[in-house]
């Protein structure tokens, strides 16, 4: 029995629940997050298929021709662009592919709004500017730092105002989607579309900035999927798979995988790393040895070695005040001491105490 096709409303509501659940998740690298992200994208793509199948939107219609309940479906491509950018990649080239998919989704979203004349005057000018040169598009055209700063502040204020307005409308009973005033609900949907339009232009500018960074990323020399085992296998195939290898040791992966196997082959060739030890007593002594290095000399031996190297200064204290005993047998030293004392006496006679005090005599 085949399953009945689901309605657009049920698929869209399921996609929205998945998207809101992803917004509250911070573990972007977990398998569960990747599975939920893929499921949300699949649901939104299913919405696109249903919309195209039933021809919900037409270029011959105006905004007034769209039913209030169908306005949220205008955001399907915008949601796809948001979610696609969250897909994890492994290389700059894969990231470029993801960004191009997001750019295409943003463009389809803006073209749809433009066909219904939903874009405001300022947004229409931005969209025309984007169509002139998509790769160089920026919401801030000037290069003046002060003007760029003021433009960024204005964009931030616009975003903040739209968020505050949406939060107020969603908390007001008048704007309830089920049972609320239809005109109020329509205003809520259009305000949400205006907010998403503003964020779409910000997203396109962010894609261009990221593309500029990825353009400077180095190109890998070999594909990411290539592993050491693949290289070893190709090398063996190139050598005729005769077991010959110009490598002195096998790959590290094979050494680690065979850590529990035999140490030597039948021919005596080592099969895994091992450590040579002198005897079993050395191993036994190492069992109860502390983890830190033990000292190799005593403190006295260390001080003696430092004294031998001249790193210890001796003297000082009372020992430095002691005059050495004169050696009476050393006549030359005694004569030198006598001459020094005599010269000092002659100096004191020639220069009596206070003779130099000529300016402040007592």
């Amino acid at each position: 029995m085949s399953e009945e096709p689901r309605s657009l409303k049920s698929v869209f509501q399921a996609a929205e629940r998945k998207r809101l659940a992803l917004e509250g998740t911070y573990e972007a690298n977990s398998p569960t997050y990747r599975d939920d992200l893929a499921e949300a994208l699949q649901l939104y793509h299913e919405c696109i298929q249903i919309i195209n199948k039933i021809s919900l939107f037409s270029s011959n219609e105006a905004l007034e021709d769209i039913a209030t309940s169908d306005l949220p479906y205008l955001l399907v491509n915008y949601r796809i662009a948001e979610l696609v950018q969250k897909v994890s990649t492994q290389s700059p080239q894969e990231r470029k592919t993801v960004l191009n998919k997001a750019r295409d989704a943003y463009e389809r979203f803006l073209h749809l709004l433009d066909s219904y004349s939903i874009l405001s005057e300022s947004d229409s000018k931005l969209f025309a500017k984007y169509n002139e040169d998509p790769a160089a598009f920026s919401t801030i055209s000037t290069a003046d730092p002060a003007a760029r700063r003021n433009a960024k502040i204005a964009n931030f204020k616009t975003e903040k105002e739209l968020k505050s307005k949406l939060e107020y409308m969603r908390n007001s009973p008048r704007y309830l989607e089920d049972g609320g005033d239809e005109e109020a609900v329509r205003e809520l949907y259009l305000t949400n579309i205006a907010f998403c339009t503003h964020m779409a232009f910000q997203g396109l500018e962010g894609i261009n900035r990221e593309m500029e960074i990825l353009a400077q990323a180095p190109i890998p020399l070999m594909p990411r999927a290539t592993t050491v085992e693949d290289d070893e296998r190709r090398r063996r195939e190139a050598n005729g798979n005769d077991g010959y290898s110009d490598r002195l040791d096998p790959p590290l992966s094979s050494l680690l995988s065979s850590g529990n196997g035999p140490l030597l082959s039948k021919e005596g060739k080592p099969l895994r790393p091992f450590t040579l030890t002198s005897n079993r007593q050395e191993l036994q002594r190492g069992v109860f040895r502390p983890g830190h290095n033990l000292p190799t000399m005593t403190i006295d031996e260390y001080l003696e070695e430092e004294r031998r190297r001249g790193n210890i200064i001796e003297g000082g204290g009372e020992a430095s005040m002691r005059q050495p005993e004169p050696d009476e047998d050393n006549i030359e030293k005694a004569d030198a001491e006598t001459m020094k004392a005599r010269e000092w006496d002659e100096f004191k006679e020639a220069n009596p105490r206070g003779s130099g005090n000529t300016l402040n005599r007592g």
Side-chain angles (χ1 to χ4, degrees), residues 157-216:
K157 287 182 177 179
T158 303
E159 179 182 346
K160 187 176 180 181
E161 290 174 358
L162 289 172
K163 281 184 177 180
S164 301
K165 185 177 180 181
L166 278 174
E167 185 177 1
Y168 168 76
M169 296 174 107
R170 286 168 178 165
N171 294 330
S172 176
R174 181 171 175 264
Y175 296 93
L176 290 178
E177 299 180 17
D178 296 330
D181 184 9
E182 183 178 356
E183 292 297 327
V185 174
R186 192 176 185 87
E187 183 183 357
L188 171 62
Y189 289 156
L190 292 176
T191 303
N192 192 23
I193 292 174
F195 172 73
C196 294
T197 304
H198 176 80
M199 298 307 297
F201 286 116
Q202 300 296 323
L204 288 171
E205 183 178 10
I207 288 175
N208 287 341
R209 300 291 82 77
E210 189 171 353
M211 281 292 193
E212 293 176 0
I213 298 174
L214 292 175
Q216 301 176 3

Side-chain angles (χ1 to χ4, degrees), residues 88-344:
S88 61
T89 56
Q90 302 296 327
S91 65
Q93 190 61 37
E94 293 179 1
R95 183 60 182 171
K96 289 180 181 179
T97 304
V98 167
L99 293 178
N100 286 328
K101 291 181 179 179
R103 184 195 297 275
D104 294 340
Y106 278 135
E107 289 178 354
R108 291 193 298 269
F109 167 67
L110 293 174
H111 276 295
L112 182 59
L113 297 186
D114 187 50
S115 65
Y116 279 98
S117 301
I118 300 177
L119 296 177
S120 63
E121 184 179 355
S122 58
D123 290 338
S124 297
K125 292 180 180 179
L126 277 178
F127 190 46
K129 179 182 176 183
Y130 172 80
N131 290 327
E132 292 176 0
D133 191 358
F137 170 74
S138 176
T139 57
I140 306 173
S141 58
T142 179
D144 183 22
R148 291 182 64 85
R149 178 178 178 274
N150 293 333
K152 288 182 178 180
I153 293 175
N155 288 336
F156 176 75
K157 287 182 177 179
T158 303
E159 179 182 346
K160 187 176 180 181
E161 290 174 358
L162 289 172
K163 281 184 177 180
S164 301
K165 185 177 180 181
L166 278 174
E167 185 177 1
Y168 168 76
M169 296 174 107
R170 286 168 178 165
N171 294 330
S172 176
R174 181 171 175 264
Y175 296 93
L176 290 178
E177 299 180 17
D178 296 330
D181 184 9
E182 183 178 356
E183 292 297 327
V185 174
R186 192 176 185 87
E187 183 183 357
L188 171 62
Y189 289 156
L190 292 176
T191 303
N192 192 23
I193 292 174
F195 172 73
C196 294
T197 304
H198 176 80
M199 298 307 297
F201 286 116
Q202 300 296 323
L204 288 171
E205 183 178 10
I207 288 175
N208 287 341
R209 300 291 82 77
E210 189 171 353
M211 281 292 193
E212 293 176 0
I213 298 174
L214 292 175
Q216 301 176 3
I219 301 175
L221 299 179
M222 63 179 183
R224 297 277 298 182
T226 304
T227 60
V228 178
E229 289 79 3
D230 296 336
D231 293 342
E232 189 68 21
R233 176 177 50 79
R234 286 196 297 268
R235 190 180 294 109
R236 287 198 303 268
E237 293 175 355
N239 293 332
N241 202 13
D242 56 357
Y244 171 77
S245 175
D246 54 356
R247 296 187 57 165
L248 299 180
D249 55 350
L252 181 60
S253 57
S254 62
L255 294 175
L256 296 176
S257 62
S258 61
N260 298 325
L263 181 63
L264 300 175
S265 64
K266 295 181 180 179
E267 294 80 13
K269 180 180 178 181
L271 300 178
R272 58 187 176 90
F274 60 91
T275 304
L276 295 175
T277 56
S278 58
N279 48 40
R280 301 181 65 179
Q281 287 75 17
E282 182 178 350
L283 285 175
Q284 185 177 5
R285 286 195 302 269
V287 172
F288 300 102
R289 181 178 178 180
H292 58 276
N293 294 329
L294 297 175
T296 58
M297 64 176 67
T298 63
I299 296 178
D300 294 337
E301 291 174 346
Y302 170 74
L303 294 176
E304 185 63 30
E305 178 65 20
E306 291 296 312
R307 183 180 292 105
R308 186 186 66 80
R309 294 179 180 179
N311 295 333
I312 297 179
I313 300 176
E314 297 181 345
E318 296 181 356
S320 62
M321 302 298 296
R322 299 172 187 171
Q323 297 294 333
E325 295 292 336
D327 187 5
E328 298 179 356
D329 297 333
N330 192 345
I331 300 176
E332 293 181 358
K333 186 175 182 180
D335 292 343
E337 292 291 339
T338 302
M339 291 300 297
K340 183 178 179 181
R342 187 176 298 171
E343 290 175 357
W344 178 243

